[in-house]
Amino acid sequence: MIRYSIVVPTLNERENILLLIGRIEKSGLENYEIIVADENSPDGTAQIVKRLQSEFPQLHMIERKGKLGLGTAYITGFKWSLEHGFNYIFEMDADFSHNPDDLVKLYHACESGEGDMAIGSRYVTGVNVVNWPMGRVLMSYFASKYVRFITGMKVHDATAGFVCYTRKVLESIDLDNIRFKGYAFQIEMKFTAWTLGFKLKEVPIIFTDRTLGTSKMSGGIFNEAFWGVITMKLRSLGKRKAIKN
């Protein structure tokens, strides 16, 4: 039986988490389990998830000791998923910027063999972003252009955080060697999979900014991505492998 895990990091998402779990249940994805990796949210997100576990047996809780970084939250969820035998592992935000109905689209892109890693892309068919200020749209869009130029990776949305991984991708990546902790983690995971020779498939989605809760974006996150991409590229020179079958 094919099994799917959906890793959802949370930091102060009490307004969204119950709604998200209900929407995932209606997405059409079957045999899934949700792994919430909570960063010790002061707003009580973890307590809400614990109460929901009796109603949703497919819901799992990983409690972390504090705000340790988005990347480490995902890696914790990825490792748990691999240890428990999941075939496809998703990552998505808790704030509804990623539509749960698109989970099935990402899965089909991997299951069909089009990609070893399917990326929910805001920019592969233009700019599909709703309710973001223009300045943030431009920063995100040109950040991906910058990553594409520096790395040579043919991905239009390198910072996308809505992804489906096949098991073989995450098994092949040395997760303990992923260096970025913030949003640049998204770039490093794609770039690492690409340098290992895996196929990256972009699936067009519509990204909608959160309506509940508070964004965690900051200037420090942008700086990590800007300078980190250069060092990441330099470390990778000579490591690009042939495309895997």
Side-chain angles (χ1 to χ4, degrees):
M1 179 177 67
I2 297 175
R3 299 171 65 224
Y4 319 88
S5 74
I6 304 165
V7 181
V8 182
T10 54
L11 177 63
N12 295 334
E13 295 291 357
R14 63 173 297 148
E15 297 170 291
N16 288 307
I17 194 63
L18 172 59
L19 297 172
L20 180 69
I21 292 166
R23 283 286 306 281
I24 291 174
E25 189 176 36
K26 298 175 181 177
S27 69
L29 199 67
E30 299 179 353
N31 302 323
Y32 70 87
E33 299 188 28
I34 303 170
I35 296 88
V36 174
D38 186 68
E39 301 275 270
N40 194 25
S41 296
D43 73 345
T45 299
Q47 287 69 38
I48 293 172
V49 173
K50 288 177 183 178
R51 290 198 299 269
L52 291 171
Q53 285 181 301
S54 59
E55 182 180 352
F56 298 95
Q58 71 273 41
L59 180 59
H60 299 272
M61 180 79 209
I62 299 173
E63 292 187 85
R64 288 155 54 79
K65 295 181 180 180
K67 190 176 179 182
L68 305 176
L70 180 74
T72 62
Y74 273 127
I75 286 171
T76 299
F78 294 163
K79 289 181 175 180
W80 189 97
S81 300
L82 292 174
E83 288 168 4
H84 289 81
F86 289 92
N87 308 96
Y88 296 89
I89 297 98
F90 295 86
E91 62 167 72
M92 71 182 301
D93 291 344
D95 61 6
F96 284 98
S97 55
H98 304 142
N99 186 342
D101 293 340
D102 290 329
L103 287 164
V104 174
K105 289 166 58 177
L106 295 183
Y107 159 66
H108 284 312
C110 287
E111 185 272 339
S112 67
E114 291 182 84
D116 302 302
M117 177 179 177
I119 301 162
S121 178
R122 297 163 290 187
Y123 306 127
V124 70
T125 58
V127 178
N128 295 312
V129 177
V130 178
N131 292 339
W132 258 9
M134 182 55 66
R136 189 166 175 185
V137 172
L138 292 173
M139 182 177 72
S140 172
Y141 179 79
F142 285 107
S144 285
K145 291 286 189 184
Y146 168 74
V147 172
R148 186 179 171 105
F149 173 73
I150 295 293
T151 65
M153 181 173 59
K154 305 305 181 185
V155 172
H156 294 84
D157 194 354
T159 62
F162 192 18
V163 177
C164 176
Y165 299 89
T166 56
R167 181 181 181 88
K168 63 182 178 180
V169 171
L170 292 182
E171 285 180 328
S172 299
I173 293 174
D174 182 358
L175 295 173
D176 291 327
N177 199 38
I178 296 297
R179 302 190 183 196
F180 294 141
K181 309 301 182 188
Y183 281 77
F185 163 83
Q186 307 292 2
I187 302 169
E188 187 173 8
M189 287 296 291
K190 294 176 186 66
F191 183 70
T192 303
W194 180 72
T195 57
L196 289 171
F198 288 109
K199 293 182 292 184
L200 278 55
K201 171 65 177 179
E202 290 189 89
V203 177
I205 64 163
I206 296 175
F207 178 97
T208 304
D209 194 22
R210 68 164 65 235
T211 57
L212 299 172
T214 305
S215 172
K216 283 74 176 179
M217 184 64 70
S218 70
I221 288 169
F222 179 80
N223 288 333
E224 178 194 45
F226 183 85
W227 296 111
V229 167
I230 297 174
T231 58
M232 182 183 71
K233 174 62 177 178
L234 291 175
R235 289 197 309 266
S236 75
L237 293 177
K239 294 182 179 179
R240 172 79 171 132
K241 294 186 178 181
I243 297 297
K244 291 179 179 287
N245 294 320

